[in-house]
Amino acid sequence: MPVLPEMPRREALIGGEWVATCETLPVEAPARGEAITRIARGQAEEVDAAVRAAGDAMAGRLGEWSRWSARRRGEWLLAFAATIEADHARLAALECADTGKPLTQARGDISACARYFRFYGGAADKLHGETIPFETDFAVMTWREPHGVCAQIIPWNYPAQIFGRCVAAALAAGNTVVLKPAEEACLSVLRLAELATQAGLPAGVLNVVPGLGREAGAALAAHAGIDHLSFTGSPETGTRVNQAAAANHVPVTLELGGKSPQLVFADADLEAALAAVVRGIIQNAGQTCSAGSRLLVEDACYDAVVARLSERFAALRCDAGERDADCGPLINARQREMLESRLAAARDDGIRVAAAGQLADGAPAGGHFVAPQLLVDIPEGHEVIREELFGPVLAVQRFADEDAAVRLANATDFGLCAGVWTRDGGRQLRLAKRIRSGQVFVNNYGAAGGVELPFGGVGRSGHGREKGFEGLRSYTRLKTLAIRHG
Ligand code: TXE
């Protein structure tokens, strides 16, 4: 067992106090399958107290948040970005042990979390309404007001990043938050919450209730006291929380993952394309909503691409996060077993593994490792090109021309991201218009995670946008003021 970082508090953060719950849940290190600490198991009672505290903070009954100007909120967020950076090593070590991801990736996630606070800190006092030309005896304007109490249910794959994405935007816009992190991984979130209270965030502005999805998560989504819900996770749970929120007429942002294609044409810079294709699927062991999990290759370069990718895949190694290999383990036994059974079914259907990585020498026993795999010879419409596998598995298909490429790219219910690799400028734009997804990247994939870029999907990938200014706007509602001045 490696030396573990100091663990954060085990309680829930409610109304500025750390509150013990009746029961706790074990936290497993995915690289070894062993428990490393315990977290609170919040239930409906704790969720109710947290929503009430957030409502009181919003209404000025608890603390002074409602009197903070936009500029003061921005200044706090900017200072908090520096606080995160000062705690960077411990936060990264927690993220690495808890999620199993390679240390370099965990470090990048903590930096990204700080960047969200910096971006939204700078944006807080630049969120303007409009004036609208109307009849001559009217003055009309719009105000952007906070929703109020924002419920945020987040997953285990990027706890610190998604905390930054959701919490920084909601606070910048003047909301208060009740956040339910994932039971599988939330140690960095608990540490960030600890830091926020120490940094003087007024009581009740940020509340964190760890617990199970079916208990704390379901209670939060259905709570009549929330004014906005942001959910990141599976389409199935997304549907459930959406229905629960609809009963209270609560607006919802859903970020539900994807089956994103990368399209490689023969005129592309293949070296750059293939490096990005590999990164796009092995990052966080493929457990990334925006993972480029499908590769579509033009006939003219198909054999060369598969041969060169096979070499790269065969060289990939899996290991514990702190040993910083190419790939860490999957988050838990359930996710590993789900992936392994889908891979076995694919093999039974004649799909070929062109190349696979390996477990590194000396990798710990008991970890939920699945070696990266390159799948070829895939029948059209097969599950491996329709469903999110959430592992380091790349499914390759070939196409003859642009029309065929677009047809394959859009042959899924998801629509989160797409990558297009070609030097032909006209084709870049034609494809960007025809591909059904929330983001399209040309001759890059992911734009290095740019926190400034609006992010979200269509279809089964969800609706609404996080990140960038659009994400900030989604944490506000518009009020129209029409003054008849005679
Ligand atoms: O997701 P869930 P799971 C996808 C990915 C993965 C699959 C299953 O394909 O294989 O989802 O993962 C909370 N009411 N993604 O089971 O259940 C839960 O506690 C309210 C994509 O982990 O959606 C956690 O906090 N909340 C993805 C959050 O929902 C509930 C990230 C996500 O869990 C709840 C993760 C309920 N009834 C998985 N049940 C992405 N978009 O990045 C669970 N939760």
Side-chain angles (χ1 to χ4, degrees), residues 153-157 162 180-184 211-214 217-218 221 231-238 240-241 255-257 288-289 334-335 338 388-390:
I153 300 177
I154 69 169
W156 40 263
N157 51 349
I162 299 177
K180 208 300 280 176
E183 51 272 42
E184 293 86 354
L212 298 174
R214 64 174 189 274
F231 172 82
T232 305
S234 63
E236 296 70 28
T237 305
R240 227 170 282 141
V241 299
E255 202 271 86
L256 307 177
T288 304
C289 47
R334 184 191 61 153
Q335 290 294 118
M338 201 160 70
E388 190 172 51
L389 301 183
F390 236 47

Side-chain angles (χ1 to χ4, degrees), residues 86 144 151 185 262 272 353 387 430:
R144 288 209 166 266
Q262 297 235 46
V353 180
E387 295 298 326
R430 284 193 299 277

